[in-house]
Every structure is written in structure tokens, then in C-alpha cells.
């Protein structure tokens, strides 16, 4: 049997982790730092802009993750991979994303910088065959701020409409991976989806009128869903191939919707309503493969399908569309274990993706594509890895006077290890 | 090392969070992507019913001026105002002392003059000659308990025969000033003869007073005896007067001035002033012992406005050629009902009023630029009920009384209109509902209507472009 003993002060570490988790929760869920995770007008649609919350390794490879398995990486997109994380270590992963974007429309453009914490996770091996992880990451974000001039029907004057979307949904995920046989691992993510999508609309008559009409809707999510995953691995001589898969059923997530309407200079609110209901997370599946050649080279590809079409938000049909995402990526680990030069110690990654998006505006799918590059930099004394990914991408189109967002997204992600479970030779 | 990394990491977080784009800057990009969840409509087809009402108990005491005179109005008939007042003694009036110190020098009557200062307000035709007559009151001006002033319908019995009368031409602007100096030389009061309105009246009353002074009668030495002797007077306009105008009370105010000469030659005078407020006999505090009495004969007006008698009555515009009337002094208000405004609540899920304006036009041809001008006074709005009680005055968002605004189009004069911002009022109706009898009173501010000259005729023909309208910009939440 496996004898577990810690050589560091467990309680000290737990304290630190708890502190970091609380900090992470604050950063992700609150407006303490008045951050907005996105500035895209497309975040008006659906549940908001879907957030990338993959680890730094995947981010550098176009998001490939289903067939990816490494002992030093918490690959939560495929929890089956957790069955083979390094058993002697406590894994801690924190990722941050900086997005520098330029919105283009016609001959106008606008620049935004958005920062967000993309995830905090920790995980460890419970037993030889079972690994588990807890993580917090954003699921979707609202960050639109649009001013619009509209005609008053029956009048020559206009109104100015200000539409503001803030907040977003976050997920608290318990990931579990179990190795069933030498080749096959299964995984499950249990997800608590929480947060607050707040949309407000202010209307005033253009030019000096003092009365403001303010409508506000909050979608407050407090519900559970899950997804299942597997990884199947075979070795052929120098090659190792790994197939990954993911399935998520359509689940109605419990939520609350609060609607209120105020008119300034008026004594009471015009309308207040609190409604309990659900919104759908779509049935989804994903398949992918990963191919290792020797110890240094890895190549993989993913396909994900999310059935957003037909999903409902508070019993109202959405006009969302099904999403397909294709990713390809590769990784080259230059370190043969004896490297002395820094360059030789690093891991190099690259990849690309195409995503047709889950919203359709004016007949156009709001799709995205991008290329990514990345580095994995080992930290001293095998304390962890620093992964940096840079993604150059584009969302939307300029056709039909729509908005295209050109962005550079930099992901900085720390994988930290703490050696917990070492059986000392001499006590 | 680990500590260092943690510190670096947290500082980096702080650093990067602070370079986020501002959340609340305006962005035009993407404005065409958003579909509407609200629609904004301009609606001005609400039924607006109107009527004319006449409010009672219009206070005409206590102002720093008094309305006097009368005119004939094509729409409102004969309108006139008489002024009832007590006359102060102005200090003991006794025989004089001459330059040699000789006492009880007798006085010689010279003349009795009425002095008044019009202010610049007037209504009607000032080119005609106006007359004024002075009548003694037969009773004392006495206030009922607890009342400090008089209402416009009050009268007091008086002599039919005047103790004085005069004719004059009104020059409101010129006669309103006091000429106290010529160059840097101050003119002594006794020599000032050209400022204000100075009217010499019959001598008889002046002789009576002088004789009493020379007889050392204490009627002119004791205020209470003086009041018993002279109850007060009423100033009446002649029936042919063509202007209603305003006299100042206070300084300079109204006087009866008695000029005399001392035996031996020096000139002198004594003023009997009209006092704004006087101590109450037998009670504490001051009270106003003067007031205007408004009289209006509307029996032969084209819309027969004499039909309105009681305050609780209303004369619907349908019965008065689709017109509504407002008039100061007499107390006419336009009563406006918008019964179906609550129907806005049936649009969409909910909604709100961005702007709601009541718009009305003065009847074309009912006013001109010289004689029957549009009101210069403020026009107020009151919430009212079936009995025409003033429930409350409407105020703006800062709490100031709501006023009608005149939107003057000099190019197209007949398109000029009045508007009242009813946004808050209508939003409150939508939220809290209204009773069927709820309505608005539109007219001159009630607290000063007893001292307001103006009048206006409002058009409300439902088939006309110039009807009263509620123009409402409404946001419908779908």
C-alpha cells in the first residue's frame, strides 16, 4: 500500500492556498478592481462572450486539450487526464490573460485593454488511479458599452440610448480523473455555475431633457451542471497516440432574473419583477487526438461541437447557433534532461484554431480564428513552469457594416509544484 | 524565493488590473448590432377636456400695490376694481408755531390733493381719460376674527355722493417715478409737484379738517378719534374708464395731502397716508385695512360667462365655443382633464415617460400687442378634484412651482404656444393611478391672483390643430 507522508507543513500550505483561492474569487467575481473581462459589443448576445479558460499549455497551441496528457499539467478540459498527474506533487495553477483589442467598424476603430484572471486551480493525486482538482474560472463575460441614437416614432427628435453590460458567469469546477485500465481513463467535471449578467439600458431625449428612463435586467446564476470525458492511449514503438473525448448533456441551470425599470424624478419604480427559472447550457461533445514522438515532440488536434441552437433562457428561445471549433497544435520540448543552456531547457509551442461562434448577428456568424505561439519556461529547482502564450486572432467581420475585433491575447500561466508526498528514506 | 515570487505575482496583478480600459466611456462602435428592447413613441392624441371654473376667496389685501380702474373686454365683459382703505392720521395735526415762537397760529386752507404712484403695470387703453372719485365709508373697516385681510368680493357701505373726484390721463411709466432732485439739488417735499399722479379734489373736506384744527379739536390729535371720525374711503373708477392699473402702496405710497398756509404767510402741508398694515384694535399683530373689490359684469359676453357662479361649478368648453378662460382678479381658471392617460400602461410590459408636455394656444384674435396683451404674469398649475379644490400646486424637480413657458415664434406668430412640463405628473399617474375626477387647474398663481391683471382665452376645438394637447414621449418596454 502507498504510504503517504508530508515533508512540508501541510497546514501552512493550505493557508496559502486558501488565501490565493479567496484572492482569485475576488478577482474573478467582483468589481473590486473595476475590471471588465471583455469590451466586445458581441458580448451583448447570448450569455455574453464565452471566456477561454484553458491552461497556458493549451492556450499556446490553439486550445488543443482533449488528447493532451502530461504529468505536470492540470488539463481540466479533459478531466480524464488527471488520472496521470505526478503523484508526488501538489499542483497549483494560476493563469492570467491580457487582451489588447482593436474594434473596427467601417472606417472607425477603438482600442481596449482587458485584463482578467483566467483561472486558479489546484490538484493532486488521491490514489494511484485517481486524481482530482478544484478550479475557478470565468465562463462568460459582458463588457459592452454602446451609445446609440434612435428616432422617436412620430417625432423629428431622437433619443440617445446607452446600453451597458457588466458582470459575467463563473464556474467553480470539481474535476476528477480515474484510470480504468492501462489504456483508458475516465473523467468527470462537476460544475457550479454562478455569477451575475447585468444589462442596463438608459434612454434620454437628445438635447437637454432631464428625465432618464432606466431599465435593468440581472440574470443571476446559481446552478449545477457536469460533463464527462475519457482518454484512450496506445503506444506504437516510438509513437504514443492518445484519443480524447468529452460529452456534456443539455442541462437547465437554476437562475434568478431581476428586472427593474425606473424613471428619474419619479417617486416610485415603474416596474419590478423577480423571476425564478433556468437557462440552458448546451449539449456538447468534443473529440481530439494527441501524438507523441519520443519525449520531445507532441502534435494534436481537437474538434468541439456545442448545440446552442434551441437553447432557452427563462423559457424564451434564443437565436443562438451551433458552435464548431477546430484546433491544431504542437509542442516541442527541447530539454533532454541534461540541458545547460536556458534555451535548451524550454518548451516551444504553436497552434491555430477556427471557431464559428455561437451567435449570429444580421445573418452573419460571428466567427473567430487565430494563431498562437508559446513558451514553457522551467523555474529553478523544479518548482514549476511559467507558460507564456501569445494569440493573434480576429472575431467578427466588417461585412454588412459589422464589427471586427482584432486582438492579441497574452496568457501568462504559472504551474507551481509543491512536493507533498515523499516517503523519506530516513525519518 | 517563494515569498519573492508571490510578492512579484501579486504586484503584477495590481499593475495589470490598473491598466484596464475605462468601463464607462462612450462607444459608437457596434451600435447597429443591437436590436431594440424598447421603442420610443411620441403620442399626442390623448383626449383633453377643458372647462372654465371660478375660484372664490381671492385675497386682495396685503400686497405692496393695489389694482384700480376698469375696462371693457370683448370676451370678459365689464371689469373693474375699487379700492377700499382706511386713512392714517399721519401724526397729530395741530395749529402751528410761527417764526417768532408764537404758538397756536391758525391755518389757512389751500388745497386737498390726492397723491398716488402708479407702477408700470396696466391693462387696457391708456389714451382715454380716466376718472376717479372718493367716497366716505359709512362703516368702519373691520376684520372678522382670525382674518387678517379681505377678499375680492367684499364691499362696505359708503356715501353715494363723492367728497372728491378728478379726471386724468394715465402715464404709467412716467407717473411711477419720484422726482426728488434736479441736478444735484434736492427738491423739498413741499415743492415737489410733478412726480406721481397728483389730483386736486374738492375743497369741502379739506375745509372741514382745517376748521377742526383751528378749533383745537382732538379728532385730529388722537388716532382712535380720527378713526371714529373718518371710517375710511373707497376709490371708484368712472364707468367709462378704459384701463385697469396698479398703484404702489408703501413708499412712495398713497396720500391725501392737505396744503395750507400759516397766518403770516408760510406754506405747509399735512399727509393722511394710506397705510399698508395697521395694528388691530383689541388684538395683537398687524392687519390689512385695505383691499380691492373686483366687479365684473359678464351677462352680455358672447360665451355668457356669467353662468358660472359657484366655485364648485364648471362651464364645459363645449358650451363656450370650445374655449377656456383664465382671468386674474376675478378668479377664472381653465380646468383640464386628461382621462385616458393611464392607457399608456397597456403598452408593452412596462414603460416610462421621458417627456410629457401640455400644450395650449391662446385664441387667435383674442389678444394684441398694445391693449389686450398676453399675460406677463406667471401661469401656474394645480392638481384639483371634482369640487375644484386646489389639492396641490405642481412643482418641478427642484421643488419650484411649475410654470407655463411661452414658446414664441416671431416668424409664425399664430404658431406660438404655451407649454407646461407634466413629465413627473404623468409618470406619477402611471405609477399610482388617478381618479376619474382628477384634473388640473391652469391659471395665475392663486396666492397673488387677487393682484393679477392679466387674462387669456385658450382654444380647445377638438378638430383644430390648435387644441389643447398632451404631447408625450413614451418608452415602451417590450
Amino acid at each position: 500500500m502507498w504510504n503517504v507522508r508530508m515533508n512540508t507543513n501541510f497546514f501552512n500550505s493550505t493557508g496559502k492556498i486558501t488565501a490565493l483561492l479567496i484572492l482569485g474569487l475576488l478577482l474573478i467575481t467582483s468589481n473590486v478592481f473595476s475590471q471588465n473581462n471583455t469590451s466586445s459589443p458581441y458580448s451583448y448576445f447570448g450569455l455574453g462572450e464565452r471566456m477561454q479558460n484553458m491552461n497556458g499549455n493549451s492556450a499556446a497551441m490553439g486550445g488543443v486539450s482533449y488528447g493532451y496528457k502530461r504529468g505536470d499539467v492540470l488539463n481540466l478540459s479533459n478531466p480524464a487526464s488527471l488520472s496521470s498527474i505526478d503523484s508526488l506533487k501538489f499542483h497549483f495553477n494560476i493563469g492570467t490573460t491580457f487582451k489588447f483589442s482593436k474594434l473596427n467598424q467601417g472606417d472607425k476603430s477603438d482600442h481596449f485593454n482587458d485584463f482578467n484572471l483566467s483561472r486558479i486551480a489546484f490538484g493532486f493525486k488521491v490514489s494511484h488511479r485517481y486524481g482530482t482538482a478544484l478550479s475557478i474560472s470565468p465562463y462568460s463575460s459582458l463588457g459592452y458599452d454602446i451609445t446609440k441614437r434612435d428616432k422617436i416614432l412620430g417625432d423629428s427628435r431622437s433619443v440617445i440610448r446607452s446600453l451597458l453590460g457588466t458582470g459575467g458567469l463563473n464556474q467553480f469546477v470539481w474535476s476528477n480523473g480515474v484510470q480504468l485500465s492501462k489504456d483508458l481513463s475516465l473523467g468527470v467535471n462537476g460544475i457550479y455555475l454562478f455569477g451575475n449578467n447585468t444589462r442596463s439600458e438608459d434612454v434620454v431625449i437628445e438635447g437637454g431633457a432631464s428625465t432618464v428612463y432606466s431599465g435593468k435586467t440581472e440574470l443571476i446564476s446559481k446552478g449545477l451542471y457536469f460533463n464527462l470525458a475519457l482518454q484512450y492511449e496506445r503506444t506504437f514503438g516510438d509513437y504514443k497516440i492518445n484519443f480524447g473525448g468529452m460529452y456534456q448533456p443539455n442541462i437547465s441551470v437554476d437562475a434568478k432574473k431581476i428586472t427593474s425599470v425606473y424613471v428619474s424624478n419619479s417617486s416610485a419604480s415603474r416596474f419590478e419583477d423577480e423571476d425564478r427559472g433556468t437557462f440552458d447550457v448546451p449539449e456538447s461533445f468534443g473529440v481530439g487526438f494527441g501524438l507523441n514522438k519520443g519525449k520531445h515532440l507532441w502534435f494534436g488536434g481537437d474538434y468541439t461541437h456545442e448545440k446552442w441552437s434551441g437553447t432557452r433562457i427563462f423559457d424564451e428561445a434564443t437565436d443562438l447557433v451551433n458552435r464548431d471549433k477546430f484546433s491544431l497544435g504542437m509542442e516541442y520540448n527541447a530539454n533532454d534532461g541534461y540541458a545547460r543552456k536556458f534555451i535548451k531547457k524550454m518548451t516551444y509551442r504553436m497552434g491555430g484554431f477556427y471557431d464559428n461562434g455561437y451567435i449570429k448577428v444580421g445573418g452573419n456568424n460571428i466567427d473567430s480564428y487565430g494563431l498562437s505561439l508559446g513558451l514553457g519556461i522551467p523555474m529553478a529547482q523544479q518548482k514549476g513552469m511559467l507558460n507564456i502564450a501569445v494569440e493573434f486572432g480576429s472575431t467578427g467581420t466588417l461585412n454588412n457594416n459589422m464589427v471586427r475585433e482584432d486582438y492579441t491575447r497574452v496568457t501568462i500561466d504559472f504551474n507551481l509544484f509543491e512536493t507533498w508526498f515523499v516517503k523519506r528514506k530516513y525519518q | 524565493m517563494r515569498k519573492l515570487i508571490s510578492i512579484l505575482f501579486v504586484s503584477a496583478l495590481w499593475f495589470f488590473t490598473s491598466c484596464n480600459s475605462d468601463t464607462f466611456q462612450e462607444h459608437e462602435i457596434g451600435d447597429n448590432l443591437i436590436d431594440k428592447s424598447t421603442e420610443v413613441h411620441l403620442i399626442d392624441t390623448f383626449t383633453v377636456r377643458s372647462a372654465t371654473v371660478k375660484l372664490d376667496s381671492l385675497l386682495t389685501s396685503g400686497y405692496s400695490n393695489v389694482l384700480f380702474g376698469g375696462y371693457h373686454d370683448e370676451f370678459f365683459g365689464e371689469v373693474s376694481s375699487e379700492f377700499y382703505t382706511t386713512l392714517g392720521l399721519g401724526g397729530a395735526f395741530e395749529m402751528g408755531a410761527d417764526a417768532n415762537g408764537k404758538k397756536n397760529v391758525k391755518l389757512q386752507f389751500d388745497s386737498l390733493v390726492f397723491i398716488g404712484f402708479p407702477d408700470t403695470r396696466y391693462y387696457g387703453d391708456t389714451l382715454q381719460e380716466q376718472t376717479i372719485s372718493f367716497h366716505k365709508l359709512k362703516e368702519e373697516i373691520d376684520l372678522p376674527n382670525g382674518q387678517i385681510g379681505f377678499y375680492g368680493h367684499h364691499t362696505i357701505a359708503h356715501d353715494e355722493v363723492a367728497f372728491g373726484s378728478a379726471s386724468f390721463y394715465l402715464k404709467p411709466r412716467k407717473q411711477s417715478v419720484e422726482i426728488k432732485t434736479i441736478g444735484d439739488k434736492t427738491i423739498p417735499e413741499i415743492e415737489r409737484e410733478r412726480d406721481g399722479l397728483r389730483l386736486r379734489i374738492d375743497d369741502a373736506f379739506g375745509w372741514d379738517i382745517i376748521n377742526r384744527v383751528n378749533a383745537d379739536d382732538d379728532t385730529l390729535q388722537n388716532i382712535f378719534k380720527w378713526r371714529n371720525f373718518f371710517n375710511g374711503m373707497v376709490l371708484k373708477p368712472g364707468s367709462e374708464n378704459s384701463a385697469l392699473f396698479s398703484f404702489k402702496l408703501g413708499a412712495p405710497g398713497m396720500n391725501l395731502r392737505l396744503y395750507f398756509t400759516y397766518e403770516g404767510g408760510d406754506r405747509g402741508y399735512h399727509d393722511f397716508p394710506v397705510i399698508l398694515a395697521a395694528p388691530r384694535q383689541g388684538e395683537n399683530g398687524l392687519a390689512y385695512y385695505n383691499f380691492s373689490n373686483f366687479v365684473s359684469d359678464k351677462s352680455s359676453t358672447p360665451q355668457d360667462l356669467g353662468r358660472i357662479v359657484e366655485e364648485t361649478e364648471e362651464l364645459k368648453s363645449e358650451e363656450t365655443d370650445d374655449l377656456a378662460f383664465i382671468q386674474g382678479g376675478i378668479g377664472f381658471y381653465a380646468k383640464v382633464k386628461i382621462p385616458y392617460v393611464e392607457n399608456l400602461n397597456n403598452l408593452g410590459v412596462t414603460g416610462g415617460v421621458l417627456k410629457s408636455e401640455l400644450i395650449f394656444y391662446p385664441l387667435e384674435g383674442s389678444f394684441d400687442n398694445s391693449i389686450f396683451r398676453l399675460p406677463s404674469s406667471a401661469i401656474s398649475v394645480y392638481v384639483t378634484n371634482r369640487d375644484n379644490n386646489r389639492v396641490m400646486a405642481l412643482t418641478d424637480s427642484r421643488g419650484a412651482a411649475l410654470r407655463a413657458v411661452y414658446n414664441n415664434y416671431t416668424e409664425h406668430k399664430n404658431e406660438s404656444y404655451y407649454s407646461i412640463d407634466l413629465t413627473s405628473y404623468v409618470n406619477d399617474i402611471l405609477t399610482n393611478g388617478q381618479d376619474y375626477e382628477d384634473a388640473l387647474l391652469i391659471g395665475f398663481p392663486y396666492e397673488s391672483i387677487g393682484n393679477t391683471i392679466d387674462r387669456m382665452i385658450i382654444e380647445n376645438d377638438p378638430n383644430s390643430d390648435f387644441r389643447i394637447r398632451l404631447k408625450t414621449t413614451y418608452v415602451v418596454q417590450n
Side-chain angles (χ1 to χ4, degrees), chain A residues 16 23 27 33-36 41-42 44-45 94 96 98 103 105 108-110 112-115 117 145-148 150 152-155 157 159 161 163-164 201 203-205 211 213 261 263 265-271 361 379 383 401-403 414 418, chain B residues 1-2 5-6 9-10 12-14 16-17 19-43 344-345 349-355 357 397 421 423-424 427-428 430-432 471 473-477:
Chain A
K16 231 181 275 174
L23 176 70
L27 280 170
F33 297 92
S34 75
Q35 71 186 61
N36 43 321
Y42 293 120
Y44 173 81
F45 298 94
I94 181 162
T96 55
F98 310 90
L103 294 181
Q105 185 177 37
K108 291 179 290 187
S109 65
D110 216 343
F112 297 91
N113 304 325
D114 297 311
F115 164 79
L117 202 57
D145 180 359
I146 294 169
T147 307
K148 185 174 163 63
D150 267 330
I152 298 173
L153 300 170
D155 196 358
R157 295 173 305 166
V159 286
R161 226 181 255 284
L163 298 130
L164 189 68
E201 176 175 9
V203 186
V204 290
I205 295 178
T211 304
Y213 175 92
V261 171
V263 177
N265 303 335
S266 184
S267 50
S269 94
R270 285 285 293 134
F271 184 78
V361 182
M379 294 161 81
K383 286 294 184 194
N401 196 27
M402 310 261 283
V403 177
F414 294 87
E418 184 120 15
Chain B
M1 177 68 188
R2 212 181 304 146
I5 290 176
S6 315
F9 183 73
V10 172
L13 283 186
W14 275 102
F16 284 115
T17 45
C19 64
N20 268 330
S21 299
D22 282 346
T23 324
F24 297 106
Q25 62 196 60
E26 277 195 5
H27 302 296
E28 285 182 7
I29 284 190
D31 64 351
N32 60 326
L33 305 181
I34 309 292
D35 44 346
K36 292 181 203 166
S37 62
T38 58
E39 275 180 359
V40 186
H41 296 265
L42 177 73
I43 302 164
L344 283 176
N345 279 335
V349 178
T350 181
V353 173
L354 285 184
K355 185 149 186 118
E357 274 184 315
S397 55
D421 186 347
T423 309
S424 296
N427 266 323
D428 283 348
L430 296 185
T431 307
N432 304 322
K471 228 174 134 177
T473 306
Y474 188 71
V475 181
V476 182
Q477 182 89 45

Side-chain angles (χ1 to χ4, degrees), chain B residues 426-453:
Chain B
V426 174
N427 266 323
D428 283 348
I429 288 179
L430 296 185
T431 307
N432 304 322
Q434 74 171 343
D435 288 338
Y436 183 71
E437 294 288 350
D438 284 353
L440 296 173
L441 290 182
I442 295 170
F444 303 112
Y446 183 80
E447 60 277 10
S448 60
I449 191 165
N451 192 31
T452 303
I453 290 178

Side-chain angles (χ1 to χ4, degrees), chain B residues 150-262:
Chain B
F150 292 93
Y151 298 119
H153 55 81
H154 202 84
T155 56
I156 292 173
H158 53 78
D159 292 345
E160 278 307 309
V161 179
F163 68 84
S165 68
S167 296
F168 60 97
Y169 285 95
L170 180 67
K171 293 167 183 146
R173 212 161 288 281
K174 194 175 162 202
Q175 290 163 346
S176 69
V177 289
E178 278 187 288
I179 304 168
K180 287 183 168 172
T181 55
I182 291 179
D184 24 343
K185 194 180 159 232
T186 307
I187 313 170
E189 183 70 36
I190 194 160
E191 288 173 23
R192 285 163 52 188
E193 283 166 358
R194 283 194 297 281
D195 55 350
L197 187 63
R198 288 166 189 260
L199 304 173
R200 178 166 183 178
I201 56 178
D202 302 28
D203 294 346
F205 183 49
W207 272 116
D208 185 12
I209 291 172
I210 288 290
N211 290 339
R212 283 168 192 270
V213 171
N214 288 340
D216 206 12
D217 186 341
D218 65 358
T219 302
L220 288 143
Q221 294 159 17
N222 179 313
I223 177 71
F224 298 110
K225 296 210 166 178
W226 164 251
R227 279 193 194 166
N228 284 335
F229 167 67
F230 190 77
N231 290 317
M233 60 180 182
V234 53
L235 279 59
K236 298 183 121 195
S239 59
E240 297 300 311
N241 279 21
S242 59
L244 184 68
F245 64 100
S246 168
F247 273 121
K248 295 174 188 175
L249 293 179
M254 267 186 206
N255 282 324
L256 272 190
R257 176 170 292 179
L258 204 160
Y259 287 100
F260 54 83
T261 49
Y262 295 101

Side-chain angles (χ1 to χ4, degrees), chain A residues 15-29:
Chain A
K16 231 181 275 174
I17 287 156
T18 317
L20 275 164
L21 274 176
I22 289 169
L23 176 70
L25 251 167
L26 268 176
L27 280 170
I28 291 178
T29 61

